[in-house]
Amino acid sequence: MTGPPADPEAPSTSLLDAPSPPARPAAEAARLALALLAGLVLRSLHPGQPIVENYVGRQIPTAMVARNLERGSGFLRPTLDTGPFPNYFPVEPPIYQELVVGMRRISGLPLDASGRLVSALAATLAAWGVYELTRRRWGEGAALASAAAFSMLPVVIRYGRAFQPDALMLGGVVAGLACWDRARARDKARGLWAVGWLLLATGLAAKVTAVHVLAVAFWVVLPRRDWRGAVLCGSTLLPVIAWYAWAWSLTSASASRAAADNRDVWLGLLGLGALAAGETWRHVGRFLVVRAFTPLGLLGALWGLAGAPKARLWWTWTALAVATMAAVAAKLHHEYYWLCLAPPVAAGLGAAWSGVDARRPLTALALALVLAAMALEFSDSTWRSPDEWVGLAEAGRAVAEATGPDDLVVAPEALLFQADRRGCRLEYTVAAATRAASEWSSAAGLLTPAALVEFYKDQGARWVADVGPGSDDPARTDLHAEIRRRYKVVIDRPDVLLADLHPEEPGHAD
């Protein structure tokens, strides 16, 4: 009886993994647990912070769907709290939101904190996957450094604690690939193949833009590149294909035109046309070189991968991820799209650090501290709510106390979520106001923000609310002045403005 075939990417004996006494399994597991726990704790800090940092337009709709799932909307009808109703959010199956609801029931934490914790755990799963994929090629030292580097990347810190499914996507596909990678080196590892399939299918369902990982699996990880491997990889897409078949009919059933418009916009964005725009390259420079990985992190990753043996997995991943990002280049102003490069960047940093540590341990320690300090500096904004949302919690309580649970409120989505109210999305520019009205009616026409509020009033809205009426934004200041002039202002404080759209006569708060 013969064992499994020789693995061309088994651990190297180069300077990446300088000769040392073999580590005991318990000690190795303890070091890994410590590295993973440190990253989890970092991402879990300030769980009660309102979910308005970074990209609010992705976090708030995701949280609305989760809250409605908890209240019984059903998995097949992910529902938003912004009209017209019913308004469905079929962008992806609400697997992440279901996990958030489950976490809330288990932990007793508020919904927004539960979402942060699910993302933090999913990012930890991704860090474990990076460790496993690196350990089999370069040994434990480089693998531990890679896992630690992954958790310190600013883009991982930001979206590894955000209320959106991107961390779950990354955790699923990286850990799934790691399971298949381990199964390849073992005989009779059907359980690992099954777990890997489940993780990959979950990650791809959370966000199908990670589909390039299947090509990495086929070309690098699977023991044979034949029709069986193609079927195995392709089968992980069955759940998400089934969802989008259902979502097509769900979009037609929605009273809002937003889902259909977003679908058409997405289909129109696919292609390389955006690469000809200078703005696209400005986004590439800002996120790739600075915000996502830091300048030192990017240079260290390229240096590490260039000098590392058996790096075919990570170079293949990088090439396919870059090709995927080029195909959706029009979306690269959303920073979370850069998460797909975090695993190879972390692996490259682990390789670089391990190589330096083998020759100059003190230099390696100094570099690690500098990189950590730089990563914390570039991710600092994620721990603070933007100025416009500083009073959001107080504003939400005020709106909730002054309005009825069945009243429709015109307000920013974040304020609607914080106040736990259904309503209409408030906008501040003509273009945004026109787009918002078009979700209700194709005949709405060109509208100013003030006209949009009046339009919502005709649709049955009872209140209009906003945060920070003392804003320095001229567009918001003008809108607030119009609201004060036209409607009965009930609350007018530095943190919140609330007006009744149906008064007997206009008036002002005391």
Side-chain angles (χ1 to χ4, degrees):
M1 180 175 178
T2 60
D7 188 348
E9 293 204 10
S12 168
T13 56
S14 71
L15 285 174
L16 280 176
D17 194 25
S20 60
R24 293 175 299 174
E28 187 174 321
R31 285 192 288 268
L32 172 60
L34 184 61
L36 297 181
L37 181 61
L40 176 61
V41 169
L42 175 64
R43 292 185 296 274
S44 300
L45 296 175
H46 305 300
Q49 177 187 347
I51 51 174
V52 289
E53 83 286 1
N54 300 316
Y55 191 49
V56 181
R58 193 63 176 87
Q59 293 198 79
I60 296 298
T62 306
M64 286 180 173
V65 169
R67 186 160 62 192
N68 287 321
L69 276 174
E70 186 178 29
R71 292 173 177 173
S73 64
F75 182 87
L76 295 178
R77 286 176 172 77
T79 306
L80 295 173
D81 290 330
T82 50
F85 304 103
N87 188 2
Y88 300 121
F89 191 65
V91 177
E92 63 263 328
I95 295 174
Y96 170 80
Q97 292 92 325
E98 286 282 13
L99 291 173
V100 171
V101 172
M103 177 62 70
R104 172 171 164 77
R105 290 171 179 165
I106 293 171
S107 67
L109 293 170
L111 190 71
D112 45 4
S114 298
R116 291 196 185 280
L117 184 55
V118 169
S119 290
L121 289 169
T124 303
L125 186 63
W128 171 83
V130 170
Y131 170 87
E132 284 293 331
L133 290 167
T134 307
R135 180 177 176 273
R136 291 197 56 248
R137 290 158 178 82
W138 300 334
E140 190 205 2
L144 282 172
S146 298
F150 179 84
S151 292
M152 290 303 300
L153 295 176
V155 70
V156 174
I157 293 174
R158 286 192 190 95
Y159 297 100
R161 64 186 300 269
F163 203 122
Q164 57 191 77
D166 298 85
L168 179 63
M169 171 271 290
L170 197 63
V173 298
V174 178
L177 199 66
C179 287
W180 279 6
D181 197 54
R182 291 189 68 176
R184 182 181 72 169
R186 297 185 178 185
D187 193 21
K188 298 180 180 180
R190 292 183 179 179
L192 276 176
W193 288 110
V195 172
W197 186 96
L198 181 61
L199 287 168
L200 280 161
T202 299
L204 292 169
K207 201 152 188 179
V208 75
T209 49
V211 68
H212 64 275
V213 173
L214 295 182
V216 179
F218 183 79
W219 289 108
V220 182
V221 172
L222 296 186
R224 297 179 183 84
R225 293 188 290 274
D226 55 16
W227 68 269
R228 295 180 184 85
V231 169
L232 177 64
C233 290
S235 66
T236 62
L237 289 170
L238 292 177
V240 74
I241 290 172
W243 172 259
Y244 284 119
W246 163 251
W248 195 274
S249 62
L250 190 64
T251 299
S252 302
S254 175
S256 173
R257 298 163 54 88
D261 291 345
N262 288 337
R263 179 191 62 199
D264 295 341
V265 167
W266 247 107
L267 293 176
L269 287 176
L270 293 176
L272 304 178
L275 294 176
E279 185 179 5
T280 300
W281 292 103
R282 284 191 290 273
H283 291 314
V284 170
R286 180 185 180 212
F287 293 131
L288 178 64
V289 180
V290 182
R291 281 181 58 85
F293 309 114
T294 79
L296 180 61
L298 181 63
L299 290 174
L302 292 173
W303 178 43
L305 289 179
K310 300 179 173 60
R312 186 164 67 99
L313 168 73
W314 299 117
W315 282 120
T316 303
W317 183 305
T318 300
L320 291 168
V322 168
T324 302
M325 294 174 75
V328 295
K331 304 289 287 184
L332 293 185
H333 58 287
H334 296 319
E335 187 181 8
Y336 49 81
Y337 279 88
W338 296 91
L339 271 172
C340 66
L341 287 174
V345 168
L349 284 170
W353 186 90
S354 181
V356 174
D357 184 60
R359 299 183 181 92
R360 297 180 177 85
L362 291 179
T363 301
L365 177 60
L367 287 173
L369 292 175
V370 170
L371 181 61
M374 189 176 290
L376 291 174
E377 174 66 24
F378 279 96
S379 61
D380 180 62
S381 63
T382 199
W383 309 108
R384 301 188 311 271
S385 297
D387 291 343
E388 66 175 306
W389 301 116
V390 167
L392 179 62
E394 293 77 9
R397 282 193 292 271
V399 172
E401 291 170 359
T403 64
D406 296 326
D407 292 344
L408 290 185
V409 181
V410 181
E413 285 182 309
L415 181 54
L416 288 174
F417 177 78
Q418 194 73 32
D420 194 5
R421 290 292 181 265
R422 298 167 81 233
C424 315
R425 195 171 68 247
L426 186 65
E427 299 290 358
Y428 308 104
T429 66
V430 171
T434 300
R435 185 170 59 251
S438 71
E439 296 175 8
W440 294 71
S441 171
S442 58
L446 195 69
L447 295 179
T448 64
L452 176 66
V453 175
E454 193 68 16
F455 173 84
Y456 286 147
K457 176 183 174 182
D458 294 339
Q459 310 306 316
R462 170 66 191 279
W463 305 91
V464 59
D466 198 9
V467 296
S471 169
D472 294 331
D473 181 357
R476 296 182 74 180
T477 301
D478 292 345
L479 176 58
H480 294 163
E482 280 292 305
I483 290 172
R484 293 185 180 98
R485 185 178 66 84
R486 295 186 183 194
Y487 311 113
K488 182 179 180 180
V489 176
V490 177
I491 303 175
D492 197 347
R493 303 193 322 230
D495 59 326
V496 62
L497 173 70
L498 176 68
D500 189 342
L501 297 178
H502 296 273
E504 293 184 357
E505 59 183 27
H508 292 276
D510 294 333

